[in-house]
Amino acid sequence: MALGAANNRSQPRPQGNDPNVAYQGFGCSIFPSSVATGPKKSGVILQQEEPGDATSPLLFIQLNQLFSTPSGPEWRETARWIKFEEKVEDGGERWSAPHVPALPLHSLFQLRTCLQDGTTLLDLDASSFKEIIDKVLSAQPEEAELQPEPRERLAALLLHQPRHQPTKSLLQLLAELTLSPCGGKDKSCSEPKAQVSKTPLKEQLRNRFQKKVPPGAEAAHIATGEVEFLEKPFAAFIRLKRGVVLGSLAEVALPSRFLFILLGPRAKEKAYHEVGRAMATLLTDELFQRVACQAEHREDLIGGMEAFLDELTVLPPGKWDPSTRIPPPSCLLSPHRRTAVHPPGQQTHGNGDMAAAADRAGLGHPRSGEELERTGRLFGGLLRDIQRKARWYGSDFSDALHPQCLSAVLYIYLATVTNAITFGGMLGDATANMQGVLESFLGTAFAGSIFCLFSGQPLTILSSTGPMLVFERLLFSFSQDHNLDYLEFRLWIGLWVAFFGMVLVATEASHLVRYFTRFTEEGFCALISLIFIYDSLKKMLNLADTFPINWQYRLDNVTSYSCICNLSSPGHSSAGNNTLLPSTQAPWQPPTTLARLSRTQCLSRGGHLLGTSCQYVPDVTLISFLLFGGTFLSCTMLKRFRSSRYFPAGVRKLVSDFAIILAILVSCAVDAALGLETPKLLVPSELKPTNPARGWIVFPFGANPWWVCPASAVPAVLATILIFMDQQITAVILNRREYKLQKGAGFHLDLLCVSLLMVFTSVTGLPWYVSATVISLAHMESLRKESATSAPGEHTQFLGIREQRLTGLAVFILTGVSIFMAPILKHIPMPVLYGVFLHMGVAALNSIQLTDRVQLLLMPAKHQPDLPYLRHVPLRRVHLFTVIQLLCLALLWVLKSTVAAIIFPVMLLALVGIRKGLEHIFSLHDLSWLDSLLPETARKEVEGKQPRKQEEEESNGEEVGDVLGATLIHSSPWGCFAAGAETGLT
């Protein structure tokens, strides 16, 4: 919140002669004092709230201001709040955009005076607005009691019906302008002195703004204005014992809990209005709401107000425009975090150390969760995973009954099919079609379905991955070089890998996942993302070879271009012309008939093509690149449509959920309209092995020597390392705390499923499968849950992921039946799917911190964003950490792309060792911000801080804080104003 500069003359003066009173500002005095117990009690109220306690309901706050009109005084709604302020614009026809309220400083001090000297009624038992007014006027103290005549006039005035400013659609506004005789500026046909009705009006019940009010919200009413019959201000703060619907008083029909009334004689322009805005702003603060709901005395309210003021920051006048409307921030600290960040008696830091530390502590993968705690028993971790996931098994299917899951199924299905075709084709090239596209489809369908049914984290998508493709290529080359049967050799390796995997599960080796810090996760995720990006671009560039661009084409020479079919032998054509000659082996046909033969028919009859345009190919490459780029851009823009300013929130959410499907449909429609022969998605249509020389079952003996069985254990060790790293790093990324998963992880159970599937895929000669990082992240992203309703100006809140098993299961079942869907799938252009691939790779790459730090390398310091780690780590150390990560990433890429790929699994494991070595280059403080501490390092830090903390607590009692100017001064607003009468607060 921002507060403008205050007026020195409007500031009340301190009473008494205590010199310390002027420096007791808002809970941060640098001098000891026993003045004001209210702030202490309000602090106790705030600290009594536990993180899991139910918070106070949100308040819809309405400010009514009294205006003088020719027909008499009239109440008009001028502003409203839920979390941010909305004002009725000067034209009176529309609401302003939500914004952070900016208040004059003196309005807060005058509000404090109102709470001190005015009427305060807490837990008032009343059932109607008239009863409330009567009890408020009766509760006036004798020295401030009104005379009978002003009292009656005041009661009658307060009971006047306010003129609301309802939120209307464009159609309603047009209808009012054309049909309503009250259109234009005179918006009310009701009598100006009508009283508040006891029941809500129709316009309240039809108000579209009701949808923006969170469920369970209550209302607060603020009434301010100037009247001639009062000689001094009348102020009252009322808290009702229970929420009561006060008829037509509010814009929306809600139970009311708080009322604040401030009326008085003519004063400085908008003085009463600004105090009312200050009261409304105070009530929007969730911490003050807690105090206001639990306060027992007037002093508790004043203490809560001082706690509110304690968090303000000074903005000097002349350095900003108070009329500027500050847009709402993208995220706010929760009340619990605010009380943790600013505990009583603890000094805050201007650079946000404590807030950032809270952010840092709340993120990261669950290293300390029960999923990774060792039990000390064989298969102890596996049994815990099964017990943890068993109670959620029923809801894993019922939670999928949501339209968003349909979008996720279609999106991930197309991504999985494209991945199966891409990697299946590459496997076919690398293994002489011992494994091809059909094997890839069948393996993906079976392994994925079993994994989704029985795994610990069913949101994971199994697929062939780049590292596994590298290992398969090396394995086939080794088999060919040593005259070994590839599939039999591969079978024994798969069996050994399954055995080693079972050993890892039995010994709870997934406990080592705690050593996979951000450094390791980002390196692996960046590698897989770059593989997706590289492969999609490589596939598109290869189109230039398949469909070459006709660089020699000239429009002026179009008359000389021709191509005809010659069915005779090449040496017997007519002298110098392109006329057709009849074949000696075929019956003679007229030249016009032969000229109509297609290219395929001509070649099938043994003929050949003659002419200058026979090699002409329509520019398929150009349209393919347009479809590729258009799909990528459409996916990106439609995904961001949720935060667009256009259309209602429901439409934006629907478009964002189905963004990928919409992009694919639009691109397919463009391709169909143009009618060019772009490469299409072709899936196998027959259930037979790609290589006729192999069968569906691989036998373990017969083709290779007996020693292959024990010798296979050596490459199996490398494959086990690769699968363990690939599977568990992906699992760590998917189970990060920021995804707010509620059903827990299952690292041991996932590894068991992958190990058992290795047996089946090895026996049947199908590809090996592990978690696919990029597709799994895309799956998680497509199942994001966000708050359905949000207050004006409030960004939708991320609620977590829709955790269930049905979307993944449906994806893999559809992948299996894709063989029978070839007539439909053949209409999807491959460039469109490559564009989806590029989108997934870029989205995954943008989700890691490494990308942000790489951008910092190219960005001048003054243009760098305000990232938390930049506040606490020197920029050169940030750059050094980034360069080391890039070198490791480059080394991984080189290893996977060269003959040294055999040690690629070891290099993945070496990333953990490199991260350990970084502790000799960077301080633990820097690593805690750029990465996260290794388990034993973090444990030592915690143990080392215990005695230091005790020493600091003992020494703090003897020290006087040297914190002049760091925060505002406490206890009394007059002292704070004296310290900076010409400043503003924000």
Side-chain angles (χ1 to χ4, degrees):
M1 164 188 16
L3 305 181
N7 189 331
N8 192 20
R9 291 175 296 178
S10 65
Q11 178 59 29
R13 300 297 178 186
Q15 299 176 0
N17 298 320
D18 188 350
N20 293 334
V21 173
Y23 300 98
Q24 298 296 325
F26 317 145
C28 49
S29 173
I30 61 174
F31 297 107
S33 176
S34 58
V35 179
T37 60
K40 297 180 181 179
K41 187 166 184 179
S42 67
V44 172
I45 292 175
L46 294 179
Q47 293 303 315
Q48 285 175 349
E49 293 277 352
E50 296 295 332
D53 291 350
T55 58
S56 304
L58 285 177
L59 289 177
F60 164 73
I61 305 166
Q62 175 176 320
L63 173 59
N64 295 330
Q65 186 175 355
L66 188 64
F67 287 86
S68 296
T69 65
S71 57
E74 180 183 50
W75 293 103
R76 294 180 188 173
E77 181 182 10
T78 57
R80 65 187 181 191
W81 290 256
I82 293 183
K83 287 194 172 182
F84 301 98
E85 181 180 15
E86 294 178 272
K87 295 179 181 179
V88 177
E89 302 287 17
D90 292 338
E93 297 292 339
R94 64 183 293 271
W95 286 100
S96 70
H99 55 276
V100 179
L103 305 173
L105 181 59
H106 64 82
S107 64
L108 289 167
F109 299 139
Q110 291 176 349
L111 175 60
R112 189 182 191 275
T113 302
C114 292
L115 294 178
Q116 280 181 328
D117 301 336
T119 303
T120 301
L121 298 179
L122 302 177
D123 289 335
L124 179 66
D125 191 5
S127 58
S128 67
F129 186 51
K130 185 177 185 307
E131 184 179 358
I132 294 173
I133 298 302
D134 291 341
K135 290 186 176 182
V136 169
L137 295 178
S138 300
Q140 288 285 300
E142 293 183 3
E143 62 275 10
E145 188 174 1
L146 297 174
Q147 296 298 321
E149 181 182 356
R151 177 175 172 174
E152 292 178 2
R153 295 181 64 183
L154 180 59
L157 179 64
L158 291 173
L159 291 175
H160 284 184
Q161 169 66 41
R163 176 184 293 180
H164 301 306
Q165 180 68 29
T167 302
K168 301 177 182 179
S169 66
L170 180 61
L171 293 178
Q172 288 175 323
L173 292 174
L174 292 176
E176 288 183 359
L177 289 175
T178 55
L179 302 178
S180 174
C182 300
K185 293 187 177 181
D186 186 12
K187 298 175 292 182
S188 177
C189 291
S190 61
E191 295 183 7
K193 294 187 179 182
Q195 290 193 348
V196 174
S197 66
K198 295 182 179 181
T199 57
L201 303 177
K202 291 183 179 180
E203 65 176 15
Q204 292 175 269
L205 302 176
R206 293 198 303 259
N207 194 347
R208 297 173 63 247
F209 188 74
Q210 183 81 39
K211 299 179 181 179
K212 291 291 185 179
V213 180
E218 295 179 333
H221 305 276
I222 299 173
T224 64
E226 299 175 351
V227 292
E228 298 177 353
F229 56 83
L230 290 179
E231 297 179 357
K232 56 184 178 179
F234 170 84
F237 178 85
I238 305 104
R239 183 186 71 200
L240 299 179
K241 188 174 183 179
R242 61 185 182 277
V244 178
V245 179
L246 299 180
S248 59
L249 184 62
E251 176 189 346
V252 290
L254 293 174
S256 301
R257 179 56 62 101
F258 296 99
L259 293 94
F260 178 74
I261 302 171
L262 177 60
L263 293 172
R266 185 171 301 277
K268 188 179 176 181
E269 183 181 4
K270 293 188 177 181
Y272 297 110
H273 177 72
E274 293 299 336
V275 175
R277 291 183 60 242
M279 186 73 249
T281 303
L282 200 63
L283 286 173
T284 59
D285 183 72
E286 296 183 39
L287 294 183
F288 181 80
Q289 284 183 29
R290 293 184 187 176
V291 176
C293 289
Q294 302 180 29
E296 299 177 1
H297 306 285
R298 183 195 311 267
E299 290 75 14
D300 298 338
L301 294 174
I302 298 174
M305 180 177 179
E306 292 179 348
F308 170 83
L309 294 173
D310 191 24
E311 296 187 52
L312 303 183
T313 307
V314 173
L315 267 183
K319 303 302 181 183
W320 73 297
D321 184 3
S323 64
T324 301
R325 290 175 179 171
I326 304 174
S330 58
C331 60
L332 297 170
L333 283 178
S334 66
H336 172 66
R337 293 266 299 280
R338 284 172 56 191
T339 55
V341 170
H342 302 286
Q346 184 166 355
Q347 181 64 36
T348 60
H349 297 269
N351 64 349
D353 285 353
M354 298 179 64
D359 291 337
R360 177 183 46 165
L363 300 179
H365 63 73
R367 297 184 187 87
S368 58
E370 63 170 347
E371 296 96 337
L372 297 176
E373 291 180 359
R374 298 182 68 95
T375 64
R377 304 188 307 271
L378 285 178
F379 297 101
L382 175 63
L383 294 176
R384 281 175 127 186
D385 285 352
I386 294 175
Q387 293 172 356
R388 184 185 312 111
K389 302 301 291 187
R391 63 192 181 98
W392 298 106
Y393 201 77
S395 65
D396 282 343
F397 293 92
S398 60
D399 289 348
L401 302 179
H402 192 275
Q404 186 181 18
C405 294
L406 175 61
S407 168
V409 167
L410 297 176
Y411 171 29
I412 303 303
Y413 163 67
L414 291 174
T416 303
V417 167
T418 307
N419 192 64
I421 291 176
T422 302
F423 281 97
M426 288 191 263
L427 272 174
D429 296 338
T431 62
N433 286 329
M434 287 297 178
Q435 298 177 74
V437 175
L438 179 65
E439 289 80 6
S440 181
F441 267 78
L442 295 178
T444 300
F446 179 81
S449 299
I450 297 299
F451 189 86
C452 285
L453 284 173
F454 302 108
S455 66
Q457 183 48 271
L459 296 175
T460 304
I461 300 295
L462 291 193
S463 177
S464 298
T465 62
M468 293 304 300
L469 177 62
V470 172
F471 188 85
E472 293 273 18
R473 183 183 292 114
L474 293 173
L475 187 60
F476 183 80
S477 299
F478 182 85
S479 302
Q480 294 296 102
D481 295 341
H482 296 82
N483 296 320
L484 298 176
D485 183 82
Y486 163 67
L487 291 179
E488 184 179 317
F489 185 33
R490 182 178 179 274
L491 168 63
W492 282 110
I493 293 176
L495 295 177
W496 277 111
V497 169
F499 171 74
F500 291 148
M502 294 294 293
V503 172
L504 293 176
V505 173
T507 57
E508 299 180 300
S510 295
H511 173 74
L512 300 175
V513 164
R514 301 189 308 153
Y515 292 88
F516 296 167
T517 64
R518 183 188 297 273
F519 179 86
T520 306
E521 298 165 23
E522 289 188 341
F524 182 78
C525 184
L527 175 67
I528 303 301
S529 301
L530 289 176
I531 289 176
F532 264 69
I533 296 172
Y534 174 79
D535 285 343
S536 61
L537 294 175
K538 181 180 178 182
K539 287 288 185 180
M540 290 303 301
L541 293 175
N542 288 340
L543 288 179
D545 298 330
T546 308
F547 302 96
I549 299 175
N550 189 10
W551 301 104
Q552 289 76 28
Y553 178 82
R554 297 294 181 271
L555 182 61
D556 193 52
N557 299 335
V558 66
T559 55
S560 63
Y561 296 149
S562 64
C563 182
I564 58 176
C565 176
N566 189 349
L567 294 179
S568 62
S569 59
H572 293 81
S573 55
S574 300
N577 59 26
N578 288 333
T579 57
L580 296 172
L581 295 178
S583 172
T584 58
Q585 300 175 353
W588 181 87
Q589 294 181 352
T592 55
T593 303
L594 293 177
R596 295 171 182 169
L597 293 177
S598 67
R599 176 179 181 273
T600 304
Q601 292 172 336
C602 179
L603 297 178
S604 63
R605 294 191 180 191
H608 60 278
L609 303 175
L610 294 176
T612 55
S613 63
C614 291
Q615 301 302 319
Y616 172 75
V617 178
D619 204 350
V620 173
T621 301
L622 175 60
I623 189 60
S624 297
F625 269 95
L626 291 176
L627 292 174
F628 172 74
T631 304
F632 168 71
L633 294 177
S634 299
C635 291
T636 304
M637 291 188 296
L638 291 177
K639 266 295 180 184
R640 297 176 181 174
F641 194 71
R642 188 189 300 266
S643 58
S644 170
R645 296 176 181 269
Y646 303 101
F647 299 103
V651 176
R652 297 199 305 267
K653 183 178 183 300
L654 186 65
V655 172
S656 179
D657 289 342
F658 287 84
I660 309 301
I661 304 304
L662 291 175
I664 292 175
L665 291 177
V666 170
S667 299
C668 291
V670 171
D671 176 75
L674 295 176
L676 292 179
E677 296 181 359
T678 52
K680 298 298 192 295
L681 175 62
L682 299 178
V683 297
S685 56
E686 295 180 348
L687 285 173
K688 62 180 182 180
T690 305
N691 191 326
R694 58 155 293 183
W696 286 118
I697 301 296
V698 179
F699 295 97
F701 300 102
N704 291 333
W706 65 270
W707 52 265
V708 171
C709 173
S712 300
V714 177
V717 171
L718 295 176
T720 303
I721 296 174
L722 176 61
I723 290 174
F724 181 82
M725 296 292 291
D726 203 340
Q727 170 65 37
Q728 300 295 52
I729 290 178
T730 303
V732 165
I733 294 173
L734 297 183
N735 287 286
R736 278 187 169 274
R737 284 203 184 110
E738 50 259 45
Y739 287 121
K740 299 182 180 181
L741 300 181
Q742 302 297 321
K743 299 182 180 181
F747 294 95
H748 310 282
L749 184 56
D750 289 346
L751 187 58
L752 174 68
C753 291
V754 171
S755 300
L756 295 179
L757 287 172
M758 287 291 292
V759 177
F760 176 81
T761 53
S762 299
V763 170
T764 55
L766 300 178
W768 291 332
Y769 294 96
V770 292
S771 298
T773 307
V774 173
I775 300 181
S776 298
L777 285 173
H779 189 207
M780 297 272 282
E781 181 66 24
S782 65
L783 293 171
R784 289 172 59 95
K785 293 190 299 183
E786 295 182 341
S787 55
T789 60
S790 58
E794 181 186 19
H795 294 262
T796 54
Q797 300 297 314
F798 172 64
L799 303 178
I801 303 296
R802 207 171 296 280
E803 301 175 65
Q804 36 73 45
R805 298 178 183 270
L806 202 55
T807 54
L809 184 62
V811 164
F812 292 115
I813 291 177
L814 286 175
T815 303
V817 302
S818 295
I819 298 172
F820 308 103
M821 297 167 60
I824 300 175
L825 298 177
K826 69 180 182 180
H827 296 290
I828 303 178
M830 287 304 296
V832 172
L833 299 181
Y834 294 148
V836 175
F837 255 47
L838 180 63
H839 168 74
M840 290 193 298
V842 172
L845 198 60
N846 288 334
S847 67
I848 59 178
Q849 188 193 89
L850 175 61
T851 305
D852 297 332
R853 287 187 275 106
V854 170
Q855 294 174 0
L856 293 178
L857 292 173
L858 310 174
M859 199 178 299
K862 64 180 180 179
H863 296 301
Q864 292 174 354
D866 185 21
L867 300 172
Y869 51 84
L870 290 181
R871 295 184 178 186
H872 305 275
V873 183
L875 185 59
R876 55 186 178 83
R877 307 295 289 175
V878 175
H879 289 340
L880 178 61
F881 188 84
T882 305
V883 170
I884 293 175
Q885 269 193 297
L886 291 177
L887 291 176
C888 292
L889 178 60
L891 182 58
L892 287 175
W893 185 274
V894 171
L895 287 178
K896 95 168 185 62
S897 306
T898 61
V899 292
I902 190 64
I903 64 171
F904 179 79
V906 180
M907 183 58 195
L908 280 178
L909 192 60
L911 288 178
V912 180
I914 294 174
R915 167 60 185 83
K916 179 65 177 176
L918 291 181
E919 294 184 357
H920 301 286
I921 303 176
F922 297 89
S923 66
L924 296 182
H925 172 269
D926 292 351
L927 289 176
S928 68
W929 285 101
L930 295 173
D931 191 18
S932 49
L933 299 181
L934 295 173
E936 69 276 5
T937 306
R939 184 172 59 252
K940 291 177 182 178
E941 278 290 296
V942 172
E943 293 173 354
K945 285 182 179 179
Q946 295 296 335
R948 291 200 300 268
K949 183 177 180 181
Q950 294 177 0
E951 294 176 3
E952 290 175 359
E953 290 177 352
E954 294 174 358
S955 61
N956 283 343
E958 303 174 359
E959 294 179 356
V960 177
D962 183 17
V963 290
L964 269 174
T967 50
L968 294 177
I969 31 188
H970 189 67
S971 178
S972 167
W974 302 291
C976 287
F977 186 79
E982 297 302 325
T983 62
L985 302 179
T986 186

